[in-house]
Amino acid sequence: MPLPDWRKMTPAERTQAVSPLRAEGLTATEIAARFQFVTRSAVLGLLHRNRATIAAAPERKAKPKPPPKPKPKPQRVSPAEGPRELPPEPAGQNAKPFLADGGGCKWPLWDRPDAVSKLLVCGEARAAGQVYCAHHHMRARGSGSQGERSAVRAAMKARL
C-alpha cells in the first residue's frame, strides 16, 4: 500500500491522520515515516498547533539510570627521595649581556653592581632542554612534586 502524500492532504485530514498515530504512542519521527514528503519538524508543528484536539501520547516509562561508577580515591604517593639539594652556585665568570649569542643560562644577575646597567645573565652551560643552568633551574622550580610546590606557595600566600 503506497504511503499517503502529505502535500495533497488538507490540514484537517492531516490532523485526523496523525491523531490515532499519536494516541498509539508513536514519536514524531515514526509518524513522519508513515507519510510521503513530510519531515519530523512538520509533524511536530502540526502536533503543537493542534495540541488541544490531538490526543496526548501515552506516558513512557523512563529507563532507570545505571548507578554511577565509584571514582577511585587518589593514592597518596610519597616522594621517592627527599628534598633535593641545590647544585653549587656558578662562579659567575661566564656572565654576559642578555642579548649575546651563546645559548648559556639566562638567569639575570641583578645582585651584581654592574649587572643592572648591562643586563647581565649567568651564561653557564644550560641543563638539557632548559633555559637555565642546573643551579638556577632548581631555584626557579624548587624541589618536590608539583603538588608539594603548590602547597608551599599556598602556605606562603596565607601568611601574607
Side-chain angles (χ1 to χ4, degrees):
M1 178 173 161
L3 299 173
D5 189 349
W6 184 268
R7 297 177 301 176
K8 295 181 182 176
M9 297 171 75
T10 65
E13 290 173 338
R14 292 177 186 168
T15 303
Q16 287 177 347
V18 168
S19 185
L21 299 174
R22 185 67 176 164
E24 289 178 22
L26 297 179
T27 64
T29 304
E30 294 167 339
I31 293 171
R34 303 255 178 127
F35 295 95
Q36 285 183 348
F37 307 110
V38 68
T39 62
R40 172 184 171 269
S41 296
V43 173
L44 287 173
L46 179 93
L47 293 172
H48 179 73
R49 287 188 303 274
N50 299 302
R51 62 181 168 254
T53 58
I54 295 178
E59 290 188 29
R60 295 181 182 208
K61 292 184 179 179
K63 294 179 182 177
K65 293 183 180 179
K69 295 179 181 177
K71 293 181 182 177
K73 290 187 177 183
Q75 297 293 325
R76 189 172 180 97
V77 179
S78 61
E81 55 191 60
R84 293 178 279 177
E85 296 292 322
L86 272 176
E89 186 168 3
Q93 297 168 351
N94 295 332
K96 58 185 172 185
F98 178 74
L99 298 176
D101 290 2
C105 175
K106 298 294 184 186
W107 186 269
L109 300 175
W110 302 123
D111 54 343
R112 291 178 51 172
D114 59 338
V116 176
S117 62
K118 298 179 184 175
L119 295 173
L120 292 181
V121 294
C122 174
E124 293 290 325
R126 295 188 209 180
Q130 304 298 327
V131 179
Y132 302 129
C133 62
H135 173 80
H136 291 125
H137 176 73
M138 182 66 82
R139 279 186 60 185
R141 296 284 301 199
S143 62
S145 68
Q146 182 178 0
E148 291 169 338
R149 291 191 305 268
S150 62
V152 168
R153 282 193 298 272
M156 291 175 76
K157 283 183 182 179
R159 278 191 252 165
L160 295 177

